[in-house]
Amino acid sequence: MSNLRTKSVEEASARKAVKVELPKERVEAYYGKQVFNRQRMFEYLPKDTYESLVDAIDNRKTLSRELADSVAEGMKRWALDNGARHYTHWFHPLTGSTAEKHDAFIEHDGKGGVVEKFSGKLLVQQEPDASSFPNGGIRNTFEARGYSAWDISSPAFIVDNTLCIPTVFVSYTGESLDYKTPLLRSLNSLDKAATRVARFFIPDVKHVTCNLGWEQEYFLVDEALYAARPDLVMTGRTLMGHESAKNQQLEDHYFGSIPSRVEAFMLDLELECHKLGIPAKTRHNEVAPNQFELAPIFEEANLANDHNLLLMSVMEEVARRHNFRVLLHEKPFAGINGSGKHNNWSLGTDSGVLLFAPGKNERDNFRFVTFVANVMAAVHKHNGLLKASIMNATNAHRLGANEAPPAIISMFLGSAVSAILDKVEQADDINKITIDGKETIRLDIAQIPELTLDNTDRNRTSPFAFTGNRFEYRAVGSSANNASALIALNAAVANQLNEFAEVVEKCVADGMDRDLAILQEVKKLIRESRPIHFDGNGYSEEWKQEAAKRGLDVETSAPLMYDRYMDEASVKMFEKTGVLSKKEIEARNEVKWEMYTKKIQIESRVLGDLAINHIIPAAVRYQSVLLDNVFKIQQLFKGAKADAISSQDLANIEAISDHVSVIKTSVESMINARKRANHIDNERLKAIAYHDDVVPYMEDIRYHIDKLELMVDNEIWPLPKYRELLFIR
């Protein structure tokens, strides 16, 4: 091996699990210790301030400046008592990650010293500038002013020595420059629309809450091996690498025994999560080697998304303590499973009724069918938009490969729910809407109790599947901000529910019985939404052809998928629900195209550098070894015997020359294609050029590099291979 690779592999092989100090108390004693939750609010705020703040949070009210001053004082005292020295407005810019600017709790005291202060003004609103974040043309570089504003529904928390205050981020003229603002708007719109429809069945409903349970998949690699792979360091994925002889084909990693080093990391991560109020509950090995998953208890969607973004940041810090690096890229390794972030999405009333759960009587079942039919209609009408909301340069590698959902949005409902919808479509009376109770299975083994069957199976190939009392949006990528997917989904469903309510209310106003009006419209939605319903194998070529016949969006180019945001139906839907203005949509699309271009641009630069400065020199070096060997054989042996002995080396020499020649030519062509694309001013056309003209060269270069990896002496190959990266020792 090369010296760097040898050292990296040896260092990784010598790692031992880092010992984690467990707290002596039980989880409930330290859970939320670093969060200004209601318990801390009750302890640090005056009684009337606490009650007013809780009322504002629960009933979506505006907070007065006087109340903010009182909250700020209590929050400051709590933060200082827990070691905080700075505070920051923590927001979600359009980069997809999080941002923060730290300020100390100090002001001049007028006597040459300082005093620790934190006012309601600083809590509620700040001007972080943040002018360098992508904005899609909403702000010019010289127009730097932007505001962050406190989100009272998501509690503040302490990371290290800094008080983090969740906020929205908007421009000087009021347009959103972040993900949280439209997410909150979508949740507000969905609350009103779902409450409106829920009252047809449950008259005293005050609010409907959107709940989210994300499942975070990720890879771990040893830090030493990571550092020896420039492509991992700069792009988050391996731009080259032949698959290992053993990868996931035996499926022995899935739910297997967790390696001791990884278990120590997981334990440490859970401790940090629980202190921060992140309800981490489930951990396990995933299908691919070195792939794992963490899942929490369901929470209100805005808070859940904040927790997921916080988790991704905490994961990276904890991983380094254990000499790991976390890979959140959707497809860090070719030929094995990529990583998603399945969004388990549900709706529930303030009284605890899950709107996607079948009930115990005909009335509850009627409500269940009504909400399922409306979700079907929303997903059907906006399937292209929903796909665009989860698509980016990284998730494009994952969708449609190795157990990931295809790049076609469809809905899996399962045989039980499908049968129910068929019955409803033929029904003329709500009392005929019956749902069979859960069945049981007896295994005829004395030691094993009866098993209760769910009312639906699972479908790993479905991007949007009904899974009992919720929908699992499986197409979301592991590195994504969940808000992108939720904004589109929430807005589409809210708009559909409002349209449904308007039709029903008009029918009632015209003298029709309300239940009959609901049933009539539900039947219509079921019929019209049939094309989105697919319970089969989403990987099959037949489904791709069938989906196109059904009129579903089958586009596979990410830059072209973003066009769905600007469809007339999409713009109208976003504006009617108040989630995004046309100007904001246009700006976000500009950012999406720009981010796509930049990511492919970086990858192509890294690949070109590695190909020319690492791979080709190694191949030529090995070629020289072979040439020297052939020369010596021909000197030692003569005639046919010499030719026979050296024939394989000569064949390898020729093959290496062929691969090296193609790589050189393709790198040069890729660079020229990149230069041509860079001269395009229009961000959409530039992104399309990168997708159509640059990416194919990258795939071709990788193919020939991977062939060389199989030919070049293992001692000479410069980069850690998949067999070394993928199996934690």
Side-chain angles (χ1 to χ4, degrees):
M1 301 182 201
S2 65
N3 289 335
L4 177 59
R5 180 166 161 234
T6 302
K7 181 180 178 182
S8 299
V9 174
E10 289 176 350
E11 186 176 340
S13 299
R15 301 285 195 203
K16 301 295 182 184
V18 175
K19 186 177 180 181
V20 179
E21 293 293 333
L22 286 170
K24 295 180 180 179
E25 62 268 39
R26 299 175 69 168
V27 176
E28 55 262 34
Y30 60 84
Y31 186 84
K33 178 182 178 181
Q34 294 167 223
V35 183
F36 195 60
N37 54 25
R38 297 195 181 194
Q39 180 181 341
R40 307 298 184 280
M41 293 177 190
F42 184 80
E43 294 172 3
Y44 280 86
L45 299 180
K47 183 180 179 183
D48 57 341
T49 299
Y50 169 79
E51 291 174 349
S52 297
L53 178 58
V54 169
D55 180 55
I57 294 171
D58 290 345
N59 296 297
R60 284 73 162 170
K61 294 181 180 179
T62 303
L63 210 63
S64 69
R65 186 54 59 93
E66 293 76 21
L67 188 63
D69 282 331
S70 181
V71 174
E73 177 59 29
M75 190 182 291
K76 181 202 73 176
R77 288 192 295 108
W78 169 76
L80 294 175
D81 286 350
N82 284 273
R85 301 174 61 86
H86 294 78
Y87 63 90
T88 183
H89 273 201
W90 184 79
F91 58 97
H92 311 172
L94 296 180
T95 56
S97 55
T98 60
E100 53 198 64
K101 180 186 75 172
H102 298 188
D103 289 298
F105 286 107
I106 59 170
E107 299 288 345
H108 285 298
D109 66 356
K111 303 174 185 177
V114 294
V115 62
E116 291 173 324
K117 276 190 175 182
F118 185 55
S119 66
K121 179 181 178 181
L122 295 175
L123 169 62
V124 170
Q125 176 182 321
Q126 288 194 35
E127 183 194 333
D129 178 4
S131 56
S132 293
F133 284 117
N135 61 78
I138 285 180
R139 297 195 300 173
N140 292 311
T141 302
F142 57 86
E143 295 172 328
R145 198 178 296 277
Y147 298 110
S148 54
W150 178 32
D151 171 17
I152 66 172
S153 64
S154 185
F157 54 90
I158 295 173
V159 174
D160 295 328
N161 298 309
T162 301
L163 171 67
C164 299
I165 303 160
T167 61
V168 299
F169 180 48
V170 298
S171 71
Y172 179 70
T173 48
E175 292 90 1
S176 67
L177 296 170
D178 66 342
Y179 280 103
K180 183 182 273 283
T181 302
L183 174 61
L184 289 171
R185 291 174 184 163
S186 76
L187 292 168
N188 184 55
S189 180
L190 184 57
D191 173 16
K192 292 177 180 178
T195 298
R196 184 179 178 184
V197 174
R199 284 175 178 163
F200 292 159
F201 308 94
I202 314 171
D204 60 349
V205 172
K206 295 179 180 178
H207 290 290
V208 170
T209 299
C210 176
N211 299 307
L212 174 66
W214 40 263
E215 301 170 25
Q216 181 69 62
E217 294 177 338
Y218 61 94
F219 281 84
L220 289 176
V221 295
D222 189 274
E223 191 165 33
L225 298 174
Y226 172 88
R229 290 284 310 220
D231 49 353
L232 278 180
V233 172
M234 287 186 276
T235 73
R237 76 179 181 106
T238 53
L239 300 176
M240 62 193 71
H242 198 279
E243 66 178 26
S244 172
K246 178 184 182 296
N247 48 48
Q248 68 183 46
Q249 67 266 48
L250 296 179
E251 298 177 337
D252 53 342
H253 187 260
Y254 189 49
F255 279 27
S257 177
I258 300 172
S260 58
R261 285 184 62 198
V262 176
E263 189 168 13
F265 157 77
M266 288 178 167
L267 178 58
D268 202 356
L269 177 61
E270 287 171 1
L271 291 174
E272 296 293 341
C273 284
H274 292 158
K275 291 175 186 176
L276 288 164
I278 303 172
K281 181 176 178 67
T282 302
R283 66 187 191 192
H284 64 83
N285 290 5
E286 257 300 335
V287 176
N290 279 21
Q291 188 186 32
F292 307 94
E293 181 180 295
L294 180 150
I297 302 171
F298 279 54
E299 297 180 286
E300 185 277 324
N302 176 50
L303 177 60
N305 191 48
D306 279 356
H307 279 165
N308 181 249
L309 290 167
L310 179 57
L311 169 87
M312 290 194 289
S313 176
V314 172
M315 284 177 84
E316 293 183 359
E317 292 298 318
V318 175
R320 292 190 184 193
R321 294 205 292 256
H322 293 260
N323 300 305
F324 284 129
R325 287 301 182 105
V326 172
L327 303 182
L328 293 173
H329 192 289
E330 282 75 7
K331 195 74 170 180
F333 302 101
I336 59 175
N337 277 20
S339 295
K341 180 150 50 192
H342 306 162
N343 277 208
N344 292 280
W345 176 83
S346 66
L347 300 177
T349 70
D350 51 304
S351 60
V353 176
L354 292 176
L355 297 177
F356 298 139
K360 297 180 180 179
N361 54 53
E362 290 81 2
R363 191 87 194 149
D364 288 347
N365 292 334
F366 192 26
R367 178 260 307 156
F368 163 73
V369 169
T370 297
F371 274 91
V372 169
N374 274 277
V375 173
M376 284 182 65
V379 175
H380 178 225
K381 291 176 183 177
H382 298 284
N383 69 92
L385 172 66
L386 295 184
K387 184 168 65 173
S389 74
I390 54 87
M391 181 52 65
N392 53 38
T394 54
N395 206 19
H397 293 286
R398 164 181 168 258
L399 294 183
N402 301 98
E403 297 192 20
I408 301 170
I409 298 296
S410 63
M411 289 181 67
F412 169 84
L413 297 175
S415 57
V417 176
S418 298
I420 293 164
L421 295 181
D422 290 340
K423 290 179 183 177
V424 171
E425 194 173 355
Q426 305 302 320
D428 54 11
D429 184 345
I430 69 166
N431 293 318
K432 295 179 181 179
I433 301 176
T434 59
I435 298 177
D436 296 333
K438 291 188 176 183
E439 298 179 4
T440 60
I441 294 179
R442 293 186 65 104
L443 300 181
D444 293 326
I445 302 174
Q447 299 92 327
I448 305 297
E450 286 186 340
L451 302 180
T452 302
L453 294 178
D454 289 301
N455 53 21
T456 176
D457 198 355
R458 290 181 178 269
N459 187 326
R460 297 180 67 86
T461 71
S462 176
F464 197 88
F466 180 72
T467 56
N469 55 16
R470 62 192 183 276
F471 288 92
E472 185 179 19
Y473 199 0
R474 295 178 57 86
V476 183
S478 55
S479 67
N481 185 322
N482 291 312
S484 180
L486 292 176
I487 290 164
L489 176 60
N490 290 346
V493 173
N495 189 63
Q496 172 58 40
L497 288 170
N498 279 327
E499 290 180 353
F500 176 84
E502 288 167 8
V503 170
V504 171
E505 289 163 0
K506 184 178 185 305
C507 289
V508 172
D510 291 341
M512 183 183 289
D513 176 76
R514 188 172 67 181
D515 285 350
L516 183 59
I518 294 172
L519 180 59
Q520 176 179 282
E521 186 63 14
V522 166
K523 290 166 69 173
K524 177 173 175 284
L525 294 179
I526 293 172
R527 285 194 301 271
E528 293 177 349
S529 303
R530 287 240 173 250
I532 202 69
H533 178 194
F534 179 66
D535 287 357
N537 179 9
Y539 291 154
S540 69
E541 287 299 319
E542 291 79 10
W543 165 236
K544 295 176 184 178
Q545 298 168 13
E546 173 65 20
K549 290 179 182 177
R550 294 186 184 191
L552 302 182
D553 191 300
V554 295
E555 180 59 60
T556 58
S557 166
L560 291 178
M561 288 183 197
Y562 299 148
D563 289 345
R564 300 288 71 76
Y565 273 95
M566 295 311 303
D567 287 347
E568 183 180 352
S570 299
V571 174
K572 184 178 179 181
M573 178 268 292
F574 279 125
E575 290 186 329
K576 281 183 67 176
T577 54
V579 173
L580 288 168
S581 68
K582 185 174 182 180
K583 183 178 180 180
E584 288 172 321
I585 299 170
E586 291 172 339
R588 283 162 193 273
N589 260 19
E590 287 290 304
V591 172
K592 288 178 182 292
W593 284 314
E594 182 183 1
M595 294 296 286
Y596 180 89
T597 295
K598 288 180 176 179
K599 287 187 177 181
I600 302 300
Q601 184 182 72
I602 291 169
E603 286 189 352
S604 66
R605 286 175 173 173
V606 172
L607 179 59
D609 172 61
L610 288 176
I612 300 301
N613 297 313
H614 291 70
I615 303 305
I616 289 179
V620 171
R621 179 182 168 194
Y622 180 58
Q623 193 177 45
S624 297
V625 172
L626 294 179
L627 284 167
D628 184 60
N629 189 51
V630 169
F631 176 77
K632 291 176 179 177
I633 287 173
Q634 291 179 343
Q635 292 297 312
L636 182 61
F637 302 101
K638 302 296 182 183
K641 187 173 183 180
D643 292 340
I645 296 174
S646 59
S647 61
Q648 186 58 53
D649 282 347
L650 288 170
N652 287 340
I653 290 167
E654 183 178 1
I656 290 172
S657 293
D658 291 342
H659 289 304
V660 167
S661 177
V662 173
I663 292 170
K664 286 181 178 179
T665 301
S666 295
V667 168
E668 183 177 357
S669 298
M670 179 180 68
I671 292 171
N672 289 332
R674 200 169 65 219
K675 288 178 179 178
R676 289 192 297 272
N678 290 341
H679 281 96
I680 300 174
D681 292 329
N682 182 284
E683 291 294 347
R684 176 180 180 274
L685 296 179
K686 184 186 293 187
I688 292 172
Y690 264 88
H691 176 275
D692 293 350
D693 302 335
V694 177
V695 170
Y697 285 116
M698 295 175 63
E699 294 170 351
D700 187 48
I701 292 166
R702 175 174 191 147
Y703 172 82
H704 289 281
I705 290 176
D706 290 355
K707 288 296 184 182
L708 285 176
E709 183 182 319
L710 294 178
M711 300 172 65
V712 173
D713 187 339
N714 187 63
E715 296 292 317
I716 294 175
W717 195 254
L719 303 176
K721 299 182 178 182
Y722 273 23
R723 69 168 185 263
E724 295 154 347
L725 288 164
L726 282 172
F727 298 93
I728 292 173
R729 295 156 179 82

